[in-house]
Amino acid sequence: MARNLVVEVISARDLMPKDGQGSANAYCVLDYGGQRKKTGIVHRSLNPTWNEKFEFGVLDPTGGGELEINVYNDRNSGAGRRSSFLGRVAIPLSTVQKHQQPNEFVRWYPLEKRGLFSNIKGDLGLKIYYGYNQPPPPPPPAVMKPVEPMKLNVPPPVQVVAAQQQMMNPQPPPAAAQRLEVRPDMQPMPMRPLRPLSTLTVPEGEFAVKETNPDLGKAVDYNHHYDLVEHMSYLFIRVVRARGLAPKDANGSSDPYARITVGRVKAETIVVPHTLNPEWNKVFAIGEDGVQGPTVEVTVWDADDFLGGLMLPLAEVYIRKPPEPPLPPRWYKLESKTAGNGRVRGEIMVAIWWGTQADEAFPDAWHSDTGTNPEFRSKVYLSPRLWYLRVGIIEAQDLIPPDRSHLPVPYIRAQLGPYQMLRTRPASVASISPYWNEELIFVVAEPFEEVLRLLVEERIGPKEEILGETQVPVYSIERRINDRPVASRWYVLDRPGDPGLRGRINLYLSLDGGYHVMDESSKYISDTRPTARELWRPPLGILELGIHGANHLHPVKPTPDRRGSTDAYCLAKYGPKWVRTRTIFESFNPRWNEQYTWEVHDPATVITVGVFDNHRTRSPVDKVPLKDLPIGKIRIRLSTLESDRVYTNAYPLLIVTPLGIKKMGEVELAVRLSCASTLNLMQSYLQPPLPRMHYRYPLDHRLLEVLRVAAMNIVALRLMRSDPPLRQEVVQFMLDTEAERWSMRKSKANYHRIMAVLGGIRAVAAWFDDICMWKSPITTVLVHLLLLVLVWNPELLLPTLFLYMFLIGAWRYRFRPRTPPFMDAKLSQGEIIGDLDELEEEFNVVPASRAPEVLKYRYERLRGVAGRIQNALGDLASVGERVHSLLSWRDPRATAIFITFCITASIILYVTPFQVVAVLLGVYILRHPRFRDPWPAAPWNLFGRLPSQADRIL
């Protein structure tokens, strides 16, 4: 049976726009062994889907050859007259699987450049496999007259049976079958495809950013601050007070409260005891979707006794539009339930109007979708101002040990609060007056409530003996904002249990306000200002964030009907300011439509937005508080935003689970960065990113990481003390507390990032190799001409280089990104799952709590990775050592050859003009392949034989 190569062109993603309108009209051209086929055209899509199947006759039975697929933009649909090149994929057929059925998953191949000047991005999704032509069905039996038997060369019965089995179960050709011997006890050998198989079935555009409302914010109304969100109508009812109510108890008073009824929505004020003239001053905000019926009922009650009420028609309610002044309340006489009873005693002061979330009464109002619980309402938090506490320990005197039989070798243990403790090294000389001269640095927060405790200790056997201690309140320590020296002071050391023996210690203490105390990773920092306000610069602009809502959230909490529910709220953090939206109950598509602003002091900063499920809507189990579970978060770097442009997009909410990266929904945001002066904004790029103290007296990076963890814990504990509190697990998730934990997935992601960075160098090397091999004679001739021009006019070299970079940058301006960056599942290696244990290891606690077999497997895997890194570092060291050995005479013959070449080259270069040498060298490098041989050049042969230190390693 004939074997065919089957290619299913499924789709492409993230293509380069080529039609001049931010899109493309893509089609594919498939070439194999002179056979060319073409897909249909998908108009105006950067993520086209074809789902077309093609078959090619296999020319080489051994599996050789190459399949080439080129992606183009249709010339009749775009802005140009010629088809635009979108990328290419070259697939060796030796990597194609040898089975008849199609692959279960789509394999994604990155699109490659055709030349150095190509601007290509995106991936092409394909299914490639071999198929076999089935034999035609046998003809129906016909009635024929018997004939005389003929003598046929019938093969042996074994061959006939084998042939029948091959017809029933087609197998690959013998040439392919002989390369792999399969035994029952063998495990299937994993193939090494051109790109790893994606084991996640990801729908088209599932993890991409989508534009939601591009016209939002264009017509800016400067009279209010809610132009980045959709206006939500609310019915506001302000119940101020009542007077002259009817008494209901024997003392001639009552315990009145007011009740609001609008359709099915009911709300009540607090009870004011023992008065006939209560004052509530409460505002109720009822969403437009909850307003039902033609009237609003405002009634006054004393327990279950009706004291009076009134009904207001909704058709006559005033519609207020900011910045109009608030509507003043009016007195209304209370009426009875029935018209026959007449009016009851008393009046009530009420104001009612239609407004939006921009109303100044909205933040403190009772909301129909959140109620009165402050933990479910919008809130703004501020991180405490953090300082570095520098403790300089110089020396101590009169440290007498308890037994007085030896000279002590003490050390200092400094403790600040319950979580920060540092130690000095032991004194270098045993003495009653030891000397250390060490510095310890802590993190403290305003207001300063902690006490610095210093203990002088000596280890005697297994015990630690205290030789003295002193305590210094942090609020009494001197503050400084520059590098001026701080005078040292002597502090008295008290000994517990022996007040008669008192030593002293010499310290210098200072609160350094010239540093920026980091409570988040420097990779996505949101604020770079120093602690001291005196050193702050004026803001460069304003960041505005409109939080629209979320879509298609996954259920987080179980429900009795097994459908699940989600009570979601959104949290945004930039600088020291945290904002939390109100909690929307039992909704998979919550709409918040809240807008917030921040001052921007550095454009190279990041805003973090997270979505959480509020578990405080449920009662705790066994008095154990429930934690708010994260649904996902995104980060937006401000430097990637254009000034005064509104970005309205839906960002995927991704979260890493032990089974891979999972999309939990989408969050819709509107972002705008407004700058007061473009010149000042540009100038900030040339200034140091951190305060000057970080460069004048830098801190060690390992110490900075320890201080960052301490600062993060302090911020989490302080925000927990707010009312309502911001949960500790929420703060830790936003600050990414486990960013430094080992992860195989992140290691793979960083490896691919490095390879992507080196991709440009490889592209230049491939382009230069094509030039040297004369694959495009016209281009090679032009390079020869350019070489002659630059050699005879070397002053044009640098101008040509900078002009070339300018032209590349100007050409790529039209292809600049149109959406802000987001959490990329592909870049995070989330679309590719190799071993699920790698993800499970990422979630394991420290110390590990898994079985010894699992830990052994992980250890062996880590050893394999470390071994490859070790070998790569060894190869890199060998290259450097070979360079050093050129003149070290470690290999006397190689060094003699090299210095002979050097003296010869120096004489030739002295008597020969530089232009001639440069032209001859360039012509030699760019010579035609006809004048080349396949062997390595002599310099590389010499370099490869040079000795290194690798053979001296045990």
Side-chain angles (χ1 to χ4, degrees):
M1 297 186 323
R3 185 170 61 159
N4 290 339
L5 176 66
V6 183
V7 181
E8 294 186 25
V9 183
I10 307 299
S11 62
R13 61 187 181 188
D14 198 21
L15 296 179
M16 180 68 66
K18 290 287 187 177
D19 63 350
Q21 301 178 5
S23 185
N25 307 288
Y27 67 93
C28 298
V29 177
L30 295 81
D31 289 295
Y32 170 65
Q35 307 173 64
R36 172 170 293 188
K37 298 186 180 182
K38 177 181 175 182
T39 67
I41 301 173
V42 179
H43 296 279
R44 299 186 59 79
S45 176
L46 297 180
N47 301 284
T49 300
W50 292 283
N51 286 324
E52 299 187 23
K53 182 177 179 181
F54 303 93
E55 295 186 5
F56 298 89
V58 177
L59 304 179
D60 187 357
T62 62
E66 185 178 72
L67 170 68
E68 181 176 350
I69 304 177
N70 292 273
V71 187
Y72 296 97
N73 176 60
D74 183 38
R75 61 182 179 181
N76 296 324
S77 304
R81 299 179 59 185
R82 298 182 57 188
S83 296
S84 303
F85 179 71
L86 296 177
R88 65 186 291 270
V89 171
I91 306 168
L93 297 190
S94 59
T95 63
V96 178
Q97 299 184 12
K98 309 296 190 301
H99 55 76
Q100 184 177 359
Q101 298 298 327
N103 295 337
E104 184 178 356
F105 302 104
V106 178
R107 185 184 302 178
W108 291 95
Y109 297 90
L111 294 176
E112 301 175 353
K113 297 181 179 182
R114 184 168 55 184
L116 179 63
F117 301 98
S118 300
N119 194 9
I120 300 302
K121 69 174 184 176
D123 302 285
L124 184 63
L126 304 172
K127 290 183 180 181
I128 308 176
Y129 52 93
Y130 285 111
Y132 301 91
N133 292 331
Q134 299 291 342
V143 180
M144 301 182 65
K145 296 180 180 181
V147 295
E148 295 181 359
M150 298 178 61
K151 293 183 179 181
L152 301 175
N153 295 326
V154 180
V158 177
Q159 297 182 9
V160 174
V161 173
Q164 291 178 353
Q165 292 179 353
Q166 186 176 5
M167 295 291 291
M168 297 298 295
N169 301 307
Q171 298 293 332
Q178 292 175 0
R179 288 194 298 270
L180 178 62
E181 180 184 357
V182 181
R183 301 194 307 269
D185 56 341
M186 285 183 61
Q187 296 293 332
M189 294 180 61
M191 300 192 66
R192 189 173 184 180
L194 191 63
R195 182 179 175 89
L197 278 172
S198 175
T199 59
L200 290 178
T201 305
V202 181
E204 187 66 33
E206 181 73 8
F207 293 160
V209 171
K210 305 172 186 176
E211 192 171 17
T212 55
N213 193 352
D215 297 329
L216 189 66
K218 291 185 177 180
V220 180
D221 185 359
Y222 294 97
N223 293 326
H224 61 87
H225 304 287
Y226 276 77
D227 60 325
L228 294 185
V229 295
E230 300 174 356
H231 288 182
M232 303 176 65
S233 296
Y234 285 88
L235 178 64
F236 289 90
I237 305 172
R238 180 189 297 273
V239 182
V240 184
R241 58 179 178 266
R243 63 185 179 185
L245 299 179
K248 287 296 180 179
D249 57 10
N251 298 327
S253 64
S254 61
D255 301 330
Y257 65 92
R259 178 182 296 170
I260 307 297
T261 304
V262 183
R264 298 182 179 180
V265 179
K266 293 184 179 181
E268 298 177 352
T269 65
I270 61 173
V271 177
V272 182
H274 310 300
T275 181
L276 299 178
N277 301 298
E279 184 171 349
W280 299 288
N281 197 22
K282 185 66 177 178
V283 180
F284 300 87
I286 303 173
E288 185 179 16
D289 54 350
V291 176
Q292 300 177 0
T295 59
V296 177
E297 294 184 9
V298 182
T299 56
V300 183
W301 299 76
D302 182 354
D304 295 333
D305 297 332
F306 179 75
L307 301 181
L310 73 151
M311 299 180 65
L312 301 174
L314 290 175
E316 300 178 3
V317 174
Y318 175 72
I319 301 177
R320 182 188 174 218
K321 298 181 179 180
E324 296 177 356
L327 191 68
R330 294 175 50 190
W331 285 103
Y332 295 89
K333 291 185 178 181
L334 297 176
E335 300 178 356
S336 61
K337 293 183 179 181
T338 60
N341 294 335
R343 297 176 178 174
V344 297
R345 178 180 171 182
E347 294 179 319
I348 187 170
M349 180 180 286
V350 177
I352 180 171
W353 70 94
W354 282 103
T356 64
Q357 71 270 34
D359 201 295
E360 64 273 4
F362 182 79
D364 298 326
W366 176 93
H367 302 131
S368 58
D369 52 359
T370 60
T372 57
N373 193 332
E375 292 190 357
F376 305 144
R377 296 166 61 179
S378 304
K379 184 71 175 180
V380 177
Y381 300 88
L382 289 178
S383 298
R385 195 148 58 124
L386 303 176
W387 294 71
Y388 281 148
L389 172 59
R390 189 182 299 268
V391 180
I393 303 173
I394 303 177
E395 60 178 335
Q397 294 181 358
D398 302 332
L399 299 180
I400 301 176
D403 55 3
R404 303 189 181 188
S405 60
H406 68 283
L407 294 177
V409 185
Y411 61 89
I412 305 296
R413 178 163 61 92
Q415 186 172 355
L416 183 66
Y419 302 106
Q420 298 187 74
M421 185 180 68
L422 298 175
R423 293 185 180 185
T424 67
R425 64 179 184 274
S428 58
V429 179
S431 172
I432 62 173
S433 300
Y435 183 82
W436 294 280
N437 196 22
E438 288 190 36
E439 278 191 352
L440 306 177
I441 299 180
F442 298 89
V443 179
V444 294
E446 293 183 356
F448 302 126
E449 303 172 351
E450 295 86 357
V451 175
L452 176 64
R453 186 184 180 195
L454 297 171
L455 295 94
V456 183
E457 298 180 345
E458 182 189 16
R459 178 175 294 275
I460 302 177
K463 296 183 179 181
E464 294 180 348
E465 191 71 28
I466 299 179
L467 304 182
E469 72 172 283
T470 185
Q471 296 184 2
V472 182
V474 177
Y475 65 83
S476 64
I477 298 177
E478 180 183 1
R479 308 183 189 184
R480 63 174 182 173
I481 62 175
N482 49 28
D483 57 343
R484 62 178 179 82
V486 179
S488 62
R489 291 180 53 190
W490 288 95
Y491 293 85
V492 177
L493 293 174
D494 297 324
R495 177 173 296 180
D498 193 355
L501 296 177
R502 306 180 68 182
R504 62 176 186 170
I505 186 172
N506 191 12
L507 308 172
Y508 61 89
L509 307 175
S510 66
L511 291 169
D512 293 346
Y515 292 92
H516 169 73
V517 182
M518 298 183 185
D519 59 350
E520 52 196 350
S521 176
S522 59
K523 303 172 186 175
Y524 29 83
I525 194 170
S526 63
D527 189 16
T528 59
R529 292 175 295 176
T531 302
R533 291 182 178 272
E534 299 87 344
L535 302 178
W536 289 5
R537 297 172 182 171
L540 300 174
I542 298 295
L543 172 65
E544 299 171 88
L545 176 67
I547 306 175
H548 292 186
N551 302 324
H552 314 298
L553 296 182
H554 285 208
V556 178
K557 292 190 290 288
T559 55
D561 58 359
R562 298 183 179 181
R563 294 181 54 190
S565 66
T566 300
D567 305 322
Y569 67 90
C570 187
L571 182 67
K573 195 263 181 186
Y574 181 76
K577 182 178 178 181
W578 304 64
V579 296
R580 190 191 68 183
T581 66
R582 63 190 187 280
T583 302
I584 306 297
F585 301 120
E586 297 182 356
S587 176
F588 298 137
N589 299 279
R591 310 303 298 177
W592 295 293
N593 283 310
E594 300 182 18
Q595 184 171 338
Y596 301 94
T597 60
W598 289 267
E599 290 184 349
V600 177
H601 294 266
D602 193 331
T605 48
V606 177
I607 180 174
T608 305
V609 182
V611 180
F612 299 86
D613 177 75
N614 198 329
H615 266 54
R616 281 158 293 182
T617 57
R618 304 173 58 192
S619 58
V621 180
D622 297 332
K623 297 183 180 181
V624 177
L626 300 175
K627 295 184 178 182
D628 292 354
L629 296 181
I631 299 177
K633 68 179 175 182
I634 66 168
R635 301 189 190 99
I636 302 176
R637 183 168 291 273
L638 270 58
S639 58
T640 62
L641 305 178
E642 298 181 10
S643 300
D644 302 319
R645 176 185 171 183
V646 178
Y647 293 85
T648 55
N649 301 97
Y651 300 85
L653 293 172
L654 307 178
I655 192 168
V656 182
T657 68
L659 298 178
I661 290 184
K662 181 179 180 181
K663 181 179 179 181
M664 301 293 292
E666 296 177 341
V667 59
E668 294 185 17
L669 303 176
V671 185
R672 178 171 59 199
L673 176 62
S674 305
C675 62
S677 173
T678 305
L679 181 60
N680 293 339
L681 189 65
M682 296 291 187
Q683 186 181 1
S684 65
Y685 279 83
L686 307 178
Q687 297 175 352
L690 293 174
R692 295 183 178 180
M693 286 290 291
H694 285 271
Y695 306 99
R696 184 167 295 179
Y697 293 99
L699 302 176
D700 186 75
H701 68 279
R702 294 170 294 180
L703 176 61
L704 283 176
E705 181 59 26
V706 174
L707 296 175
R708 185 187 74 87
V709 174
M712 179 182 56
N713 292 329
I714 292 176
V715 170
L717 293 176
R718 288 295 179 93
L719 293 179
M720 273 286 293
R721 295 164 54 182
S722 304
D723 188 22
L726 190 60
R727 310 287 292 187
Q728 183 176 4
E729 65 273 10
V730 173
V731 176
Q732 292 177 349
F733 179 77
M734 294 289 288
L735 296 179
D736 204 354
T737 58
E738 300 180 355
E740 304 299 328
R741 179 173 293 184
W742 161 257
S743 170
M744 182 69 74
R745 176 185 57 84
K746 292 183 180 179
S747 301
K748 292 180 179 179
N750 292 334
Y751 169 77
H752 287 285
R753 288 171 57 196
I754 295 176
M755 297 307 296
V757 171
L758 300 178
I761 301 177
R762 292 189 300 173
V764 173
W767 171 81
F768 186 74
D769 184 68
D770 293 344
I771 295 297
C772 296
M773 300 304 295
W774 287 69
K775 290 189 176 181
S776 177
I778 298 178
T779 307
T780 305
V781 172
L782 292 177
V783 171
H784 279 81
L785 296 178
L786 179 63
L787 174 65
L788 295 176
V789 172
L790 294 180
V791 167
W792 295 105
N793 299 278
E795 65 276 3
L796 298 179
L797 179 60
L798 291 179
T800 302
L801 177 62
F802 286 109
L803 178 62
Y804 174 69
M805 291 189 291
F806 167 78
L807 293 177
I808 292 179
W811 172 257
R812 292 184 178 180
Y813 176 77
R814 56 184 297 197
F815 307 112
R816 66 190 184 278
R818 303 291 181 176
T819 59
F822 59 97
M823 312 295 274
D824 194 340
K826 175 184 175 182
L827 182 63
S828 305
Q829 298 297 302
E831 296 182 1
I832 304 171
I833 300 179
D835 188 357
L836 291 179
D837 185 70
E838 295 178 0
L839 289 174
E840 200 277 336
E841 180 185 15
E842 190 172 342
F843 289 88
N844 200 4
V845 296
V846 178
S849 59
R850 293 295 182 266
E853 296 79 8
V854 177
L855 298 180
K856 181 180 179 181
Y857 169 73
R858 294 175 180 174
Y859 173 69
E860 296 297 338
R861 182 179 59 199
L862 184 60
R863 287 184 63 187
V865 175
R868 290 191 290 270
I869 298 176
Q870 167 186 293
N871 294 336
L873 294 177
D875 295 341
L876 183 62
S878 297
V879 172
E881 291 168 352
R882 287 192 176 103
V883 174
H884 291 167
S885 64
L886 283 172
L887 298 175
S888 65
W889 292 93
R890 172 62 61 183
D891 186 340
R893 286 168 293 276
T895 303
I897 293 174
F898 180 70
I899 64 174
T900 303
F901 166 77
C902 291
I903 187 62
T904 305
S906 63
I907 296 173
I908 295 176
L909 294 176
Y910 178 76
V911 300
T912 308
F914 173 76
Q915 289 85 350
V916 175
V917 175
V919 170
L920 293 177
L921 182 62
V923 171
Y924 175 78
I925 295 176
L926 299 175
R927 67 192 184 278
H928 196 273
R930 184 178 302 174
F931 304 104
R932 297 177 182 269
D933 54 50
W935 314 117
W940 296 116
N941 297 333
L942 174 65
F943 187 80
R945 287 183 168 86
L946 291 173
S948 66
Q949 303 291 345
D951 51 356
R952 303 178 63 188
I953 300 295
L954 292 177

